[in-house]
Amino acid sequence: VLTGTVKSVSRGPPQEPGWAVVSVLSLHKSGGLGVPQPAKGATLRLQLPCRLCPALKKGSSYVLMGRLGGDGGAVLPPDAFVVPYRPQQQQVLGNLSKRPCRGTP
């Protein structure tokens, strides 16, 4: 789970994936990303396989849940969880980060 502000969105040619550059506000349950908690304002590049969705607006902040690509990079597919971020959500997301995973690897 990532909260961040969209700095730029590049959709590219129809046969190529697009990219979004997001300034990280916070990172929760980053697991497979294999990155330490980034400093506020660090940027992360997300691959956008679909040209039209999710609809991201430059300058807006979101709560994002995507996947890891084959190369280990962050991918935001069309079915990814994307909602506008509100500061009131920070406490709930912080509590989520503290919960251990109960699933089996």
Side-chain angles (χ1 to χ4, degrees), residues 9-20 45 48-52:
V9 178
S10 163
R11 296 294 178 178
Q15 61 276 27
E16 297 289 323
W19 296 92
R45 189 172 167 183
L48 306 171
C50 177
R51 292 181 48 78
L52 302 175

Side-chain angles (χ1 to χ4, degrees), residues 36-73:
Q37 181 69 28
K40 187 173 180 175
T43 59
L44 183 62
R45 189 172 167 183
L46 306 170
Q47 184 181 12
L48 306 171
C50 177
R51 292 181 48 78
L52 302 175
C53 53
L56 299 174
K57 183 179 173 186
K58 182 179 174 182
S60 295
S61 296
Y62 298 94
V63 175
L64 308 161
M65 285 191 278
R67 297 190 190 126
L68 289 177
D71 63 354

